[in-house]
Amino acid sequence: WSDPENSRRFNNNYYIAILANGWMPERGVNGNPKKNQWTNSNELFDVTVGGKQMMLDTDLCLAFSTGKLTSSGTLRAATDNCCTWTMAANIAEGGITTYNDGKFCDVNDPETIAIWRSLPTGIAGDNFRKEWNAWEEETGLHPNRTFKDAREACCNGTRIWKEGQGDTDDCGGVSHPTGLAPDWVALFANDEDAWISKFMRAWGKATHRGFKHLHPLKG
């Protein structure tokens, strides 16, 4: 789920990894057709440095689905030919710099990431072409090209889905992820304290249920 460094730390990297990396299906793991998962698809990802990184359907479905506007399409690595990624604007600047060493899909150029983060995501279900046109006038940059540059970084070099050309589709909405709990994933990715607070509450419920007289050990 995480790189070697974060795998030995108790932190919010699990949520960062879901949003700040791209993921594409890996089928027939170790030659077993019944074992399918998602693998890190960042174009710049180096497995010799970052180690083998994978996610299960039950991980990525928290943020992503196959439906553009609803979570009705459950992700399945066994059958879906798509890439889970989201626009950089959906991750706070602090979430990238504070918790992910300044990287988005393994791109570590602050100027590039700042441009990607500034590209408007619009309103869910709405056509945000007007916002992109205004952004183009303000920045002098081409929004479609900028969008494709980010997708290329996250989805193993594929700039856009083209039927019959072997590229992969986007898993659900890229500007507004449509999984089961995308807002919670974004909150925990951007605020480790918020995650720890919720975790402690859930851990308390899990460990105290059925035990009314628990107390700290006394030395």
Side-chain angles (χ1 to χ4, degrees):
W1 288 270
S2 297
D3 59 83
E5 180 65 26
N6 283 291
S7 292
R8 58 175 180 256
R9 297 178 181 273
F10 185 70
N11 60 19
N12 65 336
N13 184 259
Y14 170 76
Y15 301 97
I16 287 286
I18 289 177
L19 293 184
N21 294 322
W23 300 92
M24 295 172 69
E26 178 184 9
R27 301 190 176 106
V29 178
N30 293 328
N32 187 337
K34 295 183 179 181
K35 289 189 175 181
N36 306 286
Q37 60 191 23
W38 300 81
T39 190
N40 187 311
S41 61
N42 297 342
E43 186 178 29
L44 296 179
F45 177 68
D46 185 350
V47 70
T48 64
V49 176
K52 176 66 176 180
Q53 295 181 24
M54 48 75 67
M55 290 276 178
L56 301 176
D57 295 343
T58 48
D59 299 309
L60 294 181
C61 74
L62 295 175
F64 301 100
S65 75
T66 57
K68 296 297 183 183
L69 300 178
T70 70
S71 58
S72 59
T74 303
L75 281 179
R76 297 186 185 280
T79 56
D80 290 328
N81 189 36
C82 61
C83 173
T84 72
W85 75 288
T86 187
M87 293 173 66
N90 289 322
I91 309 174
E93 182 178 2
I96 292 175
T97 58
T98 303
Y99 304 122
N100 205 41
D101 298 327
K103 296 182 294 184
F104 176 76
C105 289
D106 277 318
V107 173
N108 195 17
D109 179 63
E111 183 177 352
T112 297
I113 294 175
I115 291 173
W116 290 350
R117 289 196 68 255
S118 70
L119 186 64
T121 60
I123 301 173
D126 189 25
N127 186 337
F128 45 88
R129 178 62 58 187
K130 290 183 178 180
E131 292 188 30
W132 277 22
N133 289 341
W135 183 84
E136 182 175 12
E137 291 181 3
E138 179 182 351
T139 64
L141 300 172
H142 194 286
N144 282 331
R145 189 174 299 122
T146 300
F147 178 87
K148 292 176 183 179
D149 286 345
R151 189 188 199 279
E152 184 176 37
C154 298
C155 299
N156 198 27
T158 58
R159 292 180 66 80
I160 193 167
W161 177 77
K162 295 181 180 179
E163 186 174 0
Q165 296 189 19
D167 290 350
T168 55
D169 198 0
D170 297 323
C171 295
V174 175
S175 61
H176 297 84
T178 53
L180 297 173
D183 292 341
W184 286 106
V185 174
L187 173 63
F188 295 156
N190 291 320
D191 188 343
E192 188 173 79
D193 290 339
W195 166 69
I196 290 177
S197 174
K198 295 296 184 182
F199 177 87
M200 293 299 294
R201 183 177 177 183
W203 181 256
K205 289 182 178 180
T207 56
H208 287 72
R209 185 176 296 275
F211 299 92
K212 299 180 179 180
H213 306 292
L214 294 177
H215 57 81
L217 294 174
K218 296 181 180 180

